[in-house]
């Protein structure tokens, strides 16, 4: 498990990442600065990491999930429905590799900024 912080403007997302191959690959690339985009209840941003789709990848995830989208080389954070969702589910555009979760997920609906920094936590 890794502790990672994702700063979106003035809001810091405290995250726990798993020990998956994708999470390990991204962790070695930290820190990462990016510009985010919103897609319904998701923020995503391109990162300088290319990882293949893992066997456990899926499109529907739980709110607070941090995932890597292999099709776009993006890190994604989910909290609500996206344009691809059916009902209230969190659905990515296509399968994503789960890399972790946001511990303080209650702040996710308040995100509006686009400047992002991802770095190893303490």
């Amino acid at each position: 498990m890794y502790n990672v912080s994702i700063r979106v403007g003035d809001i810091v997302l405290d995250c726990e990442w798993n020990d998956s191959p994708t999470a390990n690959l991204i962790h070695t690339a930290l820190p990462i600065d990016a510009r985010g985009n919103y897609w319904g209840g998701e923020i995503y941003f391109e990162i300088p990491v290319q990882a293949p789709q893992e066997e456990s990848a899926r499109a529907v995830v739980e709110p607070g999930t941090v995932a890597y989208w292999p099709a776009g080389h993006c890190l994604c954070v989910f909290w609500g429905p996206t344009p691809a969702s059916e009902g209230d589910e969190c659905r990515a555009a296509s399968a994503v590799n789960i890399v972790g979760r946001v511990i303080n997920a209650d702040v996710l609906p308040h995100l509006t900024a686009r400047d992002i920094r991802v770095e190893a936590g303490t």
Side-chain angles (χ1 to χ4, degrees), residues 28-89:
T28 63
L30 298 180
I32 296 171
D33 291 305
R35 185 100 172 128
N37 298 292
Y38 291 92
W39 195 54
E42 171 191 353
I43 187 169
Y44 67 97
F45 46 95
E46 191 169 349
I47 61 173
V49 172
Q50 293 188 13
Q53 182 174 305
E54 296 179 2
E55 283 187 31
S56 61
R58 59 186 187 267
V60 177
V61 299
E62 294 295 317
T65 296
V66 180
Y68 174 79
W69 183 40
H73 312 295
C74 292
L75 199 60
C76 313
V77 181
F78 298 88
W79 65 88
T82 67
S85 296
E86 296 177 12
D88 292 336
E89 70 185 6

Side-chain angles (χ1 to χ4, degrees), residues 16-18 20 22-23 26 65-68 75 97-101:
E16 288 180 345
W17 282 19
N18 59 38
S20 68
T22 302
I26 297 169
T65 296
V66 180
Y68 174 79
L75 199 60
N97 299 342
I98 308 304
V99 298
R101 68 181 184 91

